[in-house]
Amino acid sequence: MTMKQWLFHHQNQSQRMAFAGVFAILLPIFFPHLFRPLGRASPSLFSEWIAPRPRHLPLLKAALNRHIPIRQQSELWAPLPDQGWKACNEPTTVSSLPANSQGYIQVFLDGGLNQQRMGVCDAVAVAMILNATLVVPHLDLNPVWQDSSSFSDIFDVDHFINVLSNEVKIVKEPPREYSWSTREYYATGIRPTRIKTAPVHASAQWYQENVLPVLQSYGIVAIAPFSHRLAFDQLPTHLQRLRCKVNFEALAFVRDVKVLGDLIVNRLRNTHHQALGSGLRENIDGSGHEGSGKYVVLHLRFDKDMAAHSACDFGGGKTEKLALAKYRQVLWQGRVLNSQFTDNELRSQGRCPLTPEEIGLLLAALGFSNNTRLYLASHKVYGGEARIATLKQLFPLMEDKKTLASADELAKVEGKASLLAAVDYYVSLKSDIFISASPGNMHNALVGHRAYLNLKTIRPNMVLLGPLFLNKSMVWPDFEAAVLNGHRNRQGQIRLRKEKQSIFTYPAPDCMCKS
């Protein structure tokens, strides 16, 4: 089967996107003409990186001069009230380990940090299903970021093993008799101890019927691929709660991540100073912050893959549209569902990612003032810094890792995408409010984790916002009123999980009890 046929027929979206990331790295090498400007003589005529002018100028002008009532600010920053749910995390003092282990289970996890995190949770559950001993999961080299960080580089292994010691036996390495069972061993040929056919969202019964016999025959089994390989439905309550215990309690970051995360959190909460690289500068307004000492995290995802795959128009003119169309053609051979619709049709259905300008206007309408301490998490913006200029106008106290920590303080995580993402996850979890500009693995992971802890998380109402931004005659008071009304019930209120939805995004009712 050719790569073109594979991309067309394969149904696993996460794997398609992973391959797209690899292509994104290789494209400039093998197809440089797709990325080369037409010439230097007329830069205004061509550069896909020149950010467009603000698309919602009347709203932007009004937002820059907005006045926010004190009562609105107080309500916005107030913590969530008790919603009648609590984590079902009673400590287990009696061991439920089987008398005899059936053998050792290894899993090899691909994807980014948050996808791998979910895989770890599922691996622990599968080990319990099979009465097996779990070998600490192996994290594959990330093909997009070229990050070779291991499990122990990111997570506290001893904490992971100890927290789960009464439910599942976990070892750091397989015993010497199985030392041959490595990632390299399985990469060089067909091996009887490797399971390659685990279906997406497989049932517990599937593992008992297909993996257990191999485990009993050889004493060890390796499952790869393993992302999204355990169902969310029709599992017993104790398994669901075990997955949540792994995710929300057992997976603690290593000390270096927590130390740097705490440093960033402390500087965000310090109302008298702003961090700037290696030093500190006096705050612009040390006494004027609403929610003094509080901060909001914005997960701003607006990368080229997302922009191209959406098939939306982001105001960069014909040059940008052509560049994104070429990029879309090479990565997905034009097989992008959205490309058959017009920009207006996509926006009216809320199917276009929010631009930095639009997310800024949303935040302003919700009641965040220009004194808000805004932290950007894991942002990689198509168009670079120029494209977030409008967002910076609205929120001049916007920060990220590099503005809040010095090069020396960042040294242990610099260049390691998984560790950088871990720091952002940690800072996001500690924030007073979290908001994500678009869905994705980090969005889903934090929505669930913060729901588990009853923390405020704002979910943009894309179906509402699309038509609002299409309406060029919209005035600020009407826009503000519509945004406020459309987001009153999207600020962390518990949402019960529906069939096929992830327990990691919607932990209630499977992992939460009525208080």
Side-chain angles (χ1 to χ4, degrees):
M1 178 180 286
T2 66
M3 183 58 69
K4 181 176 180 180
Q5 290 171 324
W6 189 94
L7 284 170
F8 179 67
H9 289 289
H10 206 285
Q11 297 301 309
N12 189 323
Q13 176 67 17
S14 63
Q15 290 190 15
R16 288 205 305 272
M17 294 302 290
F19 271 87
V22 177
F23 285 134
I25 295 171
L26 298 177
L27 280 176
I29 299 172
F30 294 105
F31 302 96
H33 61 284
L34 296 181
F35 300 86
R36 187 183 300 127
L38 295 178
R40 296 181 179 273
S42 304
S44 62
L45 295 179
F46 183 92
S47 175
E48 65 170 296
W49 300 110
I50 294 178
R53 295 178 180 178
R55 305 190 75 189
H56 312 287
L57 194 55
L59 292 178
L60 176 60
K61 288 180 177 178
L64 288 170
N65 295 302
R66 65 195 181 278
H67 169 73
I68 303 168
I70 294 176
R71 181 178 177 181
Q72 183 182 348
Q73 293 181 21
S74 299
E75 290 176 353
L76 177 64
W77 288 100
L80 287 174
D82 184 351
Q83 300 187 66
W85 291 89
K86 66 176 183 178
C88 298
N89 58 354
E90 293 81 3
T92 53
T93 55
V94 179
S95 175
S96 60
L97 293 174
N100 297 300
S101 170
Q102 296 284 356
Y104 295 88
I105 288 182
Q106 294 175 293
V107 295
F108 304 117
L109 301 173
D110 57 9
L113 173 68
N114 294 298
Q115 183 175 325
Q116 291 172 333
R117 186 185 185 104
M118 304 306 111
V120 173
C121 301
D122 291 346
V124 173
V126 168
M128 175 173 275
I129 290 169
L130 301 178
N131 289 331
T133 299
L134 177 67
V135 179
V136 168
H138 174 92
L139 308 186
D140 281 341
L141 175 70
N142 189 304
V144 178
W145 302 112
Q146 292 297 302
D147 186 350
S148 59
S149 296
S150 68
F151 186 100
S152 60
D153 290 330
I154 304 168
F155 300 108
D156 184 332
V157 178
D158 292 331
H159 177 83
F160 175 68
I161 294 173
N162 292 337
V163 168
L164 300 170
S165 60
N166 285 327
E167 286 112 334
V168 174
K169 185 177 180 181
I170 303 172
V171 295
K172 296 179 181 179
E173 300 287 346
R176 288 186 62 184
E177 61 190 289
Y178 298 115
S179 60
W180 48 265
S181 185
T182 64
R183 191 69 176 100
E184 292 72 27
Y185 170 75
Y186 292 107
T188 57
I190 298 174
R191 311 296 185 185
T193 52
R194 178 179 177 183
I195 303 294
K196 298 177 66 176
T197 57
V200 173
H201 299 153
S203 66
Q205 183 179 352
W206 187 91
Y207 283 98
Q208 291 167 336
E209 293 176 351
N210 295 275
V211 179
L212 185 57
V214 179
L215 189 62
Q216 292 172 329
S217 296
Y218 295 95
I220 193 167
V221 65
I223 311 174
F226 190 70
S227 295
H228 312 294
R229 289 313 195 270
L230 184 60
F232 290 121
D233 302 309
Q234 298 181 342
L235 288 179
T237 299
H238 74 277
L239 278 177
Q240 298 287 56
R241 291 184 180 176
L242 175 63
R243 294 162 93 182
C244 289
K245 182 175 182 178
V246 179
N247 191 32
F248 303 132
E249 299 174 41
L251 286 176
F253 293 123
V254 293
R255 183 178 182 276
D256 286 344
V257 169
K258 292 195 286 187
V259 167
L260 178 56
D262 284 332
L263 178 147
I264 290 172
V265 170
N266 289 336
R267 289 178 180 171
L268 283 165
R269 293 202 183 284
N270 187 326
T271 59
H272 299 294
H273 295 91
Q274 273 184 295
L276 178 62
S278 60
L280 295 170
R281 66 178 184 272
E282 288 299 316
N283 197 350
I284 296 172
D285 182 4
S287 60
H289 288 286
E290 83 283 6
S292 183
K294 298 183 178 182
Y295 71 96
V296 56
V297 169
L298 168 62
H299 178 226
L300 182 61
R301 186 184 170 205
F302 190 76
D303 54 38
K304 190 171 184 178
D305 279 10
M306 172 177 283
H309 196 268
S310 72
C312 298
D313 179 6
F314 299 106
K318 292 182 179 180
T319 300
E320 181 179 84
K321 284 197 281 189
L322 178 61
L324 292 177
K326 286 183 175 181
Y327 191 80
R328 185 162 55 244
Q329 178 62 34
V330 174
L331 262 65
W332 299 287
Q333 277 68 54
R335 303 186 193 282
V336 175
L337 180 63
N338 280 6
S339 60
Q340 62 185 294
F341 300 101
T342 66
D343 182 70
N344 276 12
E345 289 171 334
L346 292 171
R347 291 187 180 280
S348 64
Q349 298 171 34
R351 294 167 66 178
C352 291
L354 295 176
T355 64
E357 176 190 3
E358 289 167 345
I359 196 71
L361 291 171
L362 168 62
L363 291 172
L366 287 170
F368 293 100
S369 79
N370 59 5
N371 282 329
T372 297
R373 304 305 297 269
L374 177 66
Y375 178 83
L376 288 187
S378 300
H379 68 291
K380 182 183 179 184
V381 178
Y382 172 58
E385 292 297 311
R387 197 151 214 153
I388 62 174
T390 303
L391 183 61
K392 284 185 176 179
Q393 274 187 281
L394 289 165
F395 299 99
L397 301 186
M398 190 167 68
E399 307 277 11
D400 60 22
K401 291 182 290 293
K402 292 185 177 180
T403 64
L404 285 165
S406 68
D408 288 343
E409 291 164 338
L410 290 168
K412 291 183 178 180
V413 300
E414 194 62 55
K416 301 173 182 177
S418 293
L419 289 175
L420 291 169
V423 172
D424 278 338
Y425 190 104
Y426 186 86
V427 175
S428 298
L429 194 61
K430 296 280 187 179
S431 68
D432 299 280
I433 303 173
F434 174 79
I435 183 169
S436 181
S438 58
N441 287 329
M442 183 169 180
H443 164 91
N444 294 337
L446 278 162
V447 164
H449 204 155
R450 290 177 66 87
Y452 191 76
L453 300 174
N454 197 41
L455 300 174
K456 184 169 285 190
T457 303
I458 298 175
R459 296 179 298 108
N461 188 337
M462 305 297 286
V463 176
L464 167 75
L465 293 169
L468 287 182
F469 286 124
L470 276 177
N471 185 353
K472 298 305 180 184
S473 63
M474 176 73 67
V475 295
W476 180 256
D478 293 341
F479 177 79
E480 184 180 36
V483 166
L484 288 172
N485 289 332
H487 289 82
R488 292 196 189 282
N489 296 318
R490 302 178 68 89
Q491 300 191 27
Q493 291 83 355
I494 288 290
R495 302 173 73 201
L496 301 184
R497 189 181 73 86
K498 299 177 183 178
E499 187 177 3
K500 296 184 179 180
Q501 287 183 329
S502 168
I503 61 167
F504 305 124
T505 306
Y506 305 100
D510 303 77
C511 302
M512 302 183 74
C513 303
K514 284 284 189 178
S515 58

